[in-house]
Amino acid sequence: MLDAMARKTADDDPLAPVTLAVGQEELLLDRAVQEVVAAARAADSDTDVRDLTPEQVQPGTLAELTSPSLFAERKVVVVRNAQDLSADTVKDVKAYLAAPAEEITLVLLHAGGAKGKGLLDAARKAGAREVACPKMTKPADRLAFVRAEFRTAGRSATPEACQALVDAIGSDLRELASAVAQLAADVEGTIDEAVVGRYYTGRAEASSFTVADRAVEGRAAEALEALRWSLATGVAPVLITSALAQGVRAIGKLSSARGGRPADLARELGMPPWKIDRVRQQMRGWTPDGVAVALRAVAEADAGVKGGGDDPEYALEKAVVTIARAARSRGRAQ
């Protein structure tokens, strides 16, 4: 079910010929796609899904993908970052909007800014179903998001618990959604502030983020020592993978951001200014390839921790070592 925070038009049929997901919040954009795909596969389990970047959609591509099939198969065609499509491809999409094909659902993901506004306007004029997926820059919006996540999970959480979770996790919606899912899976009854405190603040928060900080700084021995202490004192492995993910993503976000004052970057990236300064210090040895390697390591560790492997501790140790090595990739490349 799509989160209530992603506002939708009145005609809310996920199998509408065209769905337009507008905004820059990646979690909500992904959920908009997932909802359409789930509805299509509920109608036809053999639904063909094509998930495309702008570079993969050339003039003629859309016509080829949406041409009638002998088997009349249902198909979902997803075009990400539609604002970046070439002018000739935009002409194809506009022509398609005027006469959508049967059994085809087109999903356009658009950032919503001035770039590519002609396509955005055309889709709206054609009556596309629209899902709003805005960045949640205000604490009140993130608090409402957490409340909605608990409701969607069918769980009761006190207002104090929701606020404590936002305070502990910060502005990353994926991390907030993951934290809600973890609490909903682990805790019986009403989730209160004390439960959130045990999971996400105090010793657990400090120790898991210490592991992440030492790893992204390339200090493998210290990171492993902090990891073993955290596990020995009962910190949940999922909190450590979450902290590692946040640390690496912060490196990636800041390394690809435009230069500027910490306050400006904080608004752009959704981080507090003090964290911008810390991440700037941590990112000195990183390269884009190093970030990619570290993100894969975190994903593998997350799978190992959540049941994909036999030894969660080994999965975490492997990830920490890989991340620490990636943090020194610039020095090795020179």
Side-chain angles (χ1 to χ4, degrees):
M1 179 179 176
L2 185 68
D3 188 271
M5 294 302 298
R7 299 184 302 278
K8 294 170 274 189
T9 51
D11 182 14
D12 189 32
D13 179 7
L15 296 182
V18 181
T19 285
L20 180 64
V22 184
Q24 298 180 42
E25 181 49 66
E26 292 183 5
L27 174 66
L28 299 183
L29 290 168
D30 285 346
R31 287 185 174 184
V33 172
Q34 291 163 9
E35 184 187 36
V36 172
V37 171
R41 287 187 167 153
D44 180 355
S45 60
D46 293 327
T47 293
D48 182 21
V49 178
R50 303 295 179 92
D51 197 326
L52 307 171
T53 64
E55 296 76 18
Q56 294 172 307
V57 188
Q58 299 299 318
T61 301
L62 187 60
E64 180 182 346
L65 290 174
T66 58
S67 60
S69 166
L70 289 175
F71 304 103
E73 65 179 350
R74 182 177 291 278
K75 187 178 293 184
V76 175
V77 179
V78 180
V79 179
R80 295 182 182 271
N81 297 311
Q83 72 278 358
D84 295 331
L85 292 172
S86 69
D88 288 339
T89 303
V90 167
K91 290 179 183 178
D92 282 0
V93 177
K94 287 182 176 179
Y96 178 81
L97 292 172
E102 292 187 10
E103 301 298 312
I104 305 290
T105 300
L106 176 63
V107 184
L108 298 174
L109 275 57
H110 194 291
K115 187 177 183 182
K117 190 172 184 299
L119 177 57
L120 188 63
D121 292 341
R124 286 169 170 163
K125 186 175 181 180
R129 166 183 177 260
E130 186 169 342
V131 182
C133 306
K135 275 285 187 185
M136 295 188 187
T137 56
K138 298 179 180 178
D141 291 339
R142 294 192 288 273
L143 183 59
F145 171 81
V146 167
R147 289 172 177 163
E149 288 289 290
F150 278 120
R151 285 197 300 272
T152 300
R155 299 304 306 277
S156 175
T158 66
E160 293 79 12
C162 294
Q163 184 64 61
L165 198 58
V166 172
D167 292 342
I169 301 298
S171 61
D172 190 315
L173 247 58
R174 289 189 188 279
E175 298 299 334
L176 286 169
S178 176
V180 170
Q182 184 69 37
L183 289 167
D186 288 0
V187 179
E188 296 182 359
T190 299
I191 296 163
D192 59 20
E193 187 177 8
V195 169
V196 174
R198 287 200 300 273
Y199 269 75
Y200 294 101
T201 58
R203 183 184 66 187
E205 183 184 29
S207 60
S208 59
F209 282 101
T210 296
V211 176
D213 284 341
R214 298 298 86 79
V216 300
E217 290 162 4
R219 297 153 66 178
E222 293 177 42
L224 287 171
E225 182 181 355
L227 170 64
R228 289 161 188 156
W229 183 87
S230 296
L231 294 172
T233 54
V235 177
V238 69
L239 296 186
I240 300 173
T241 55
S242 175
L244 289 170
Q246 289 185 56
V248 175
R249 286 175 187 155
I251 297 286
K253 285 181 180 180
L254 192 55
S255 63
S256 61
R258 299 183 301 274
R261 298 177 304 167
D264 295 332
L265 286 170
R267 285 192 294 272
E268 179 183 343
L269 302 178
M271 299 180 191
W274 63 263
K275 189 169 184 179
I276 297 291
D277 291 332
R278 174 185 289 179
V279 176
R280 271 179 168 164
Q281 294 174 354
Q282 293 173 334
M283 64 185 282
R284 289 171 183 165
W286 287 86
T287 64
D289 287 345
V291 172
V293 167
L295 286 173
R296 285 195 296 272
V298 171
E300 290 172 4
D302 190 56
V305 163
K306 292 178 179 175
D310 297 327
D311 190 342
E313 183 173 345
Y314 172 74
L316 285 168
E317 288 184 354
K318 182 179 177 182
V320 164
V321 170
T322 302
I323 293 167
R325 286 176 179 166
R328 300 192 299 272
S329 54
R330 189 181 301 277
R332 292 198 305 273
Q334 293 174 348

